[in-house]
Amino acid sequence: MRIVVLAGGIGGARFLRGLKSAVPDAEITVIGNTGDDIHLFGLKVCPDLDTVMYTLGGGIHEDQGWGRAGETFAVKEELAAYGVGPEWFGLGDRDFATHIVRTQMIGAGYPLSAVTEALCARWQPGVRLLPMSDDRVETHVLIDDPEGAEGTRKAVHFQEYWVRLRASVPAHAIVPVGADQAKPAPGVLEAIAAADVVLFPPSNPVVSVGTILGVPGIREAVAGSSAPVIGLSPIVGGAPVRGMADKVLEAVGVEATAAAVARHYGSGLIDGWLVDSVDADAVDEVEAAGIRCRAVPLMMTDLEATAAMAREALALAEEVRA
Ligand code: FO1
């Protein structure tokens, strides 16, 4: 079975671990979000690609969900001693090596997709990990400018909004800078065309899955795919399971409910939608929108619970296909 998964960071990576456990023989292609990518200290950092690679490759900091296990921060401390920041973004020594290799290869002319393949040769994630695009796309968030005149707004990098500001200020708009000019990375459209199932894990529907779908050609390929497209709700009981998806959903005018996120994707894109058992009331509303819906446990508490979610998604795909 060929499965394509559109993944963000922590939620996507943990779901993939369950999916691999549920269907060990499946050929899984992951299309990773690169809108969170940031250039720091002259290095290109790809948080979502690295989170998937480290999680599936056994190198992730398990409690944190991002960065490396057994990490140290000597380089960050030395940079801070020179007064060189930002200090709010935690790059560890082990992680730095990944960004150095990546930046060096990009400088030598390799596209991000080739670099990602080279990094994965070490981590052996057991999936084919593709960036959504080799072109630079950077998600910016429009916020109020406290230093400007009344009503002035400014755009900040997504990581500044997410990590430094902890999404504590209103987001007025989400702007994926460069997305309109970006092309899908080699292999992305081919993988979608050849897929037996396309899955949207419980990743952020705006700044993760939404950004991937915003690369011209990807949304059209998913919508036009003959394979069932199944999503899992990242919203449980009216709140995001992790992260701050509610804040960015508000920015795009979508209520933070399991049903509203399904309608946001729409029946033109997804065929099936899983909501958590606590949101069983949402099933009728989602089905009324033309999307097959089931309520099942959606908390990724451990590998078995996550594998069960993956099996439910694949079962719903079969139901839709029949
Ligand atoms: N998240 C944080 O909350 N604080 C950090 O300092 C931080 C650093 C960081 C470094 C490398 C990396 O790959 C991820 C990192 N993240 C950090 C996670 C990241 O900001 C977000 O969770 C994702 O971009 C959203 O998917």
Side-chain angles (χ1 to χ4, degrees):
M1 182 170 25
R2 283 164 299 195
I3 305 175
V4 167
V5 182
L6 273 50
I10 305 171
R14 290 189 176 158
F15 175 75
L16 283 162
R17 203 150 55 175
L19 179 67
K20 273 180 63 188
S21 160
V23 279
D25 296 331
E27 201 182 290
I28 301 170
T29 300
V30 179
I31 301 173
N33 171 41
T34 56
D36 293 19
D37 293 5
I38 184 164
H39 289 76
L40 293 171
F41 315 113
L43 300 174
K44 183 173 175 68
V45 181
C46 299
D48 286 2
L49 294 180
D50 289 349
T51 298
V52 170
M53 182 174 78
Y54 294 156
T55 301
L56 300 183
I60 199 75
H61 185 302
E62 287 291 343
D63 298 336
Q64 211 167 238
W66 52 266
R68 290 286 308 279
E71 192 55 287
T72 52
F73 290 89
V75 174
K76 184 170 187 278
E77 283 158 22
E78 289 296 314
L79 286 165
Y82 284 112
V84 175
E87 283 192 56
W88 50 264
F89 201 70
L91 288 183
D93 301 330
R94 291 174 188 275
D95 200 23
F96 257 116
T98 303
H99 314 315
I100 291 169
V101 174
R102 174 185 293 123
T103 308
Q104 187 169 285
M105 286 188 72
I106 286 175
Y110 290 94
L112 182 61
S113 49
V115 176
T116 305
E117 191 179 341
L119 296 172
C120 285
R122 171 185 174 193
W123 289 101
Q124 297 288 312
V127 298
R128 183 165 179 233
L129 178 58
L130 303 175
M132 62 188 198
S133 178
D134 280 336
D135 302 318
R136 185 166 167 175
V137 177
E138 215 169 79
T139 304
H140 289 190
V141 181
L142 194 63
I143 62 169
D144 293 322
D145 183 359
E147 272 134 45
E150 178 81 26
T152 316
R153 291 175 173 179
K154 65 171 182 176
V156 294
H157 190 285
F158 170 75
Q159 296 295 351
E160 183 170 355
Y161 170 76
W162 197 251
V163 176
R164 185 173 82 81
L165 300 169
R166 311 276 4 141
S168 59
V169 297
H172 299 296
I174 311 293
V175 188
V177 179
D180 51 347
Q181 298 297 319
K183 291 173 295 303
V188 165
L189 297 182
E190 294 80 352
I192 297 169
D196 297 308
V197 184
V198 178
L199 298 177
F200 295 179
S203 289
N204 191 308
V206 181
V207 294
S208 297
V209 179
T211 306
I212 300 169
L213 292 168
V215 175
I218 297 188
R219 176 185 294 275
E220 295 75 3
V222 173
S225 160
S226 56
V229 181
I230 309 292
L232 295 92
S233 178
I235 304 288
V236 169
V241 176
R242 107 167 16 78
M244 301 155 259
D246 48 340
K247 303 288 170 47
V248 286
L249 279 167
E250 198 180 330
V252 297
V254 176
E255 220 187 320
T257 66
V261 175
R263 280 191 275 102
H264 171 64
Y265 284 133
S267 61
L269 190 65
I270 56 170
D271 304 298
W273 186 243
L274 292 179
V275 300
D276 187 80
S277 312
V278 302
D279 293 313
D281 287 359
V283 170
D284 288 350
E285 184 184 339
V286 175
E287 295 225 318
I291 300 162
R292 198 76 67 89
C293 185
R294 296 286 172 269
V296 299
L298 285 189
M299 302 305 278
M300 297 192 280
T301 43
D302 56 27
L303 183 61
E304 188 35 52
T306 313
M309 286 166 53
R311 282 192 288 270
E312 291 286 1
L314 296 175
L316 187 55
E318 289 317 310
E319 217 182 296
V320 164
R321 203 195 309 274

